[in-house]
Amino acid sequence: MAVELGSDVEPESSTFCINDEDHTFGNSIRYVLNGDPRVTFCGYSVPHPSDNRVNVRVQTTGESAKSVFKDALRDLVLICDHVCSAFDDSVASFKRSHQQQ
């Protein structure tokens, strides 16, 4: 579950608190967000090692931080789908090449 910690006064600047996640998610979403030209700043933090929570700060050029964050989440899903597909293809190729021997 994600919680947006921002204000309606500045919709282009928000912090999103993501529960049950860690550095793996934080660094991945930071990477995707920093590749978006609408993002002027993005960073994440894990408040405490025993706390499964990631805070992601997003500041944009003027567009809503919430919509930019949603777009980044969709892009991250597409990247993960591609990695899974490429991995499955490589495993199948490896198995085929070793069955012929």
Side-chain angles (χ1 to χ4, degrees):
M1 180 173 156
V3 176
E4 182 179 8
L5 308 171
S7 73
D8 294 333
V9 177
E10 293 184 63
E12 69 276 358
S13 180
S14 289
T15 299
F16 301 91
C17 179
I18 314 296
N19 293 317
D20 297 323
E21 290 297 343
D22 59 14
H23 287 285
T24 303
F25 173 79
N27 196 38
S28 299
I29 197 69
R30 180 201 56 80
Y31 174 81
V32 174
L33 282 163
N34 279 327
D36 189 326
R38 299 173 294 175
V39 174
T40 57
F41 174 81
C42 175
Y44 81 93
S45 65
V46 175
H48 191 273
S50 66
D51 193 6
N52 270 354
R53 184 169 37 120
V54 175
N55 295 322
V56 181
R57 178 75 177 167
V58 180
Q59 292 175 269
T60 69
T61 56
E63 192 162 339
S64 160
K66 186 175 183 177
S67 67
V68 172
F69 188 69
K70 283 183 179 181
D71 290 347
L73 291 171
R74 287 186 195 102
D75 290 347
L76 185 56
V77 167
L78 292 174
I79 291 168
C80 290
D81 288 346
H82 174 73
V83 169
C84 286
S85 177
F87 178 79
D88 291 342
D89 292 347
S90 293
V91 168
S93 175
F94 177 81
K95 287 181 178 180
R96 280 193 306 276
S97 69
H98 281 70
Q99 284 177 346
Q100 297 171 352
Q101 295 177 357

